Amino acid sequence: MVQLSIKDVEGRLGEVKCAICKGNRFGIDSRTVAAGDGEWKAICLGCHYTFPVHTDMEFYLQTQPDVSYRLKEIACQSCRQRGVSLDFRAVLSVRESVYFVTCASCQLKFPEQSFLESFE
Ligand SMILES: [Zn+2]
Ligand SMILES: [Zn+2]
């Protein structure tokens, strides 16, 4: 499993927008990282809205086998190959959660809207 750094996650969260103020600058509460359970808390630097970032994807994929299957279907925005690995997941609001994935072919990292909600 990829070891995520706070800097990585903060940088990649900049690719999505805050559910409240539409800003794209976020910080990670380092106390939640130190807890070690993979449940991090992100804070919007614009409006101080907080939301959970789940980094224990190994466990998540074990409990959500459908997600593994769907990851194989996601096409890379750059090389168009299908198949990505899941790095972490951010729940921006009750309606919006985003998967942060890496292309298995060209290693491009990009955010992908969660497909779970739309199928419920
Ligand atoms: Zn905000
Ligand atoms: Zn690619």
Side-chain angles (χ1 to χ4, degrees):
M1 197 170 92
V2 188
Q3 194 61 46
L4 294 163
S5 76
I6 294 180
K7 248 193 156 54
D8 280 349
V9 172
E10 285 177 344
R12 293 181 66 182
L13 284 172
E15 296 174 56
V16 297
K17 288 186 166 58
C18 171
I20 308 300
C21 73
K22 309 298 175 197
N24 69 341
R25 290 170 58 236
F26 304 97
I28 294 289
D29 183 341
S30 58
R31 286 168 304 181
T32 61
V33 177
D37 60 0
E39 301 291 311
W40 297 8
K41 196 163 82 178
I43 304 159
C44 171
L45 301 182
C47 69
H48 300 116
Y49 171 69
T50 64
F51 55 90
V53 172
H54 305 281
T55 65
D56 188 351
M57 291 298 99
E58 209 165 331
F59 177 72
Y60 178 65
L61 291 175
Q62 273 167 23
T63 55
Q64 304 280 342
D66 289 1
V67 173
S68 293
Y69 180 72
R70 300 283 311 200
L71 291 171
K72 296 192 180 80
E73 305 270 284
I74 295 176
C76 173
Q77 298 164 348
S78 168
C79 72
R80 304 283 160 198
Q81 297 291 317
R82 288 177 189 278
V84 297
S85 61
L86 181 58
D87 301 322
F88 65 95
R89 185 169 72 95
V91 182
L92 296 171
S93 71
V94 282
R95 271 188 299 261
E96 191 182 15
S97 96
V98 176
Y99 291 132
F100 289 82
V101 300
T102 300
C103 170
S105 303
C106 73
Q107 309 303 311
L108 178 79
K109 297 175 193 304
F110 59 94
E112 179 79 19
Q113 291 292 326
S114 165
F115 17 77
L116 279 189
E117 282 79 356
S118 50
F119 283 86
E120 274 165 9

